[in-house]
């Protein structure tokens, strides 16, 4: 499976359209900061890294992306709409009774969604299971990505999953931690140190810097799972997402 790499100018123009798409989603329970914190990282993944598209969304050899931070899906929906997984006309109905775009994504309703999510602590264990399943099938090409929030690392299920993944050498597994300083406990030495202690490759980058994100996403990590910690504004930040040059 191959993808076409867009030009830098095209990437900038497409990313600049995302705030407009996000503005179409209104109503209560938007979890705005939870959504805007993920926007840049999600865009770089879908625009330049993940080998999946509307045409290949059912291909067994596609890359898998699992949104564990499903309680703030607005940026996810905007990126999926921008990439053609579903019409942008669906966005104004976000969270309404008859809309497929719920406050938590539903894999049976949202084209391109791999899991139903929103309850903290589920995504990474599901990603570990997905990577194990692909390995058992002999499918060594697909990458598995999961996006978690830093607060999710307060959940014990994640620590069991990351400890197992490191010991099992799940090299096709990647965890993106969007760190908006909302965790209760934090980690001495930083979040990346927790993954490294469990045998992962890990790096920390500016979560608004597209080139730094891309370099971290594509860094080699032979025989080990890989974690990217994307640091963004603290959770109290409530401004609009600001396009940043790639």
């Amino acid at each position: 499976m191959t993808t076409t790499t867009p030009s830098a100018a095209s990437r900038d123009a497409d990313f600049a359209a995302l705030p407009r798409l996000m503005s179409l989603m209104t109503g209560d329970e938007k979890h705005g900061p939870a959504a805007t914190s993920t926007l840049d990282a999600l865009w770089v993944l879908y625009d330049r890294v993940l080998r999946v598209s509307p045409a290949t969304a059912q291909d067994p050899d596609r890359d898998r992306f699992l949104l564990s931070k499903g309680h703030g899906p607005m940026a996810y929906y905007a990126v999926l709409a921008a990439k053609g997984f579903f019409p942008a006309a669906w966005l104004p109905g976000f969270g309404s009774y008859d809309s497929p775009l719920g406050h938590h994504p539903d894999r049976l309703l949202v084209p391109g969604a791999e899991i139903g999510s929103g309850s903290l602590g589920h995504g990474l264990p599901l990603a570990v299971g997905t990577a194990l399943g692909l390995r058992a099938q002999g499918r060594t090409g697909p990458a598995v990505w999961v996006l978690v929030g830093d607060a999710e690392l307060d959940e014990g299920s994640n620590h069991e999953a990351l400890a197992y993944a490191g010991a099992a050498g799940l090299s096709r597994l990647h965890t993106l931690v969007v760190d908006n300083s909302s965790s209760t406990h934090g980690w001495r030495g930083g979040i990346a140190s927790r993954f490294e202690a469990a045998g992962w490759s890990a790096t920390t980058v500016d979560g608004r810097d597209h080139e730094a994100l891309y370099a971290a996403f594509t860094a080699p990590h032979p025989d080990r799972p890989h974690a990217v910690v994307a640091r963004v504004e603290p959770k109290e930040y409530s401004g609009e997402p600001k396009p940043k040059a790639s």
Side-chain angles (χ1 to χ4, degrees), residues 66-69 115-129 146-148 152 155 157-158 161:
L66 284 62
L67 180 69
S68 185
K69 192 175 179 176
I115 60 172
S117 60
S119 297
L120 301 184
H122 291 180
L124 182 53
L126 287 169
V128 170
V146 57
L147 188 156
V148 305
E152 285 193 77
E155 304 289 338
S157 55
N158 280 321

Side-chain angles (χ1 to χ4, degrees), residues 1-52:
M1 184 185 299
T2 59
T3 56
T4 301
T5 302
S7 67
S10 174
R11 290 196 302 266
D12 290 349
D14 291 342
F15 179 72
L18 291 180
R20 181 188 65 81
L21 293 177
M22 289 185 67
S23 73
L24 298 176
M25 291 174 274
T26 60
D28 298 331
E29 299 185 29
K30 293 194 301 182
H31 290 281
T36 57
S37 66
T38 67
L39 185 62
D40 296 80
L42 280 170
W43 177 252
V44 175
L45 271 178
Y46 272 91
D47 193 51
R48 303 171 62 180
V49 178
L50 292 174
R51 297 177 311 123
V52 66

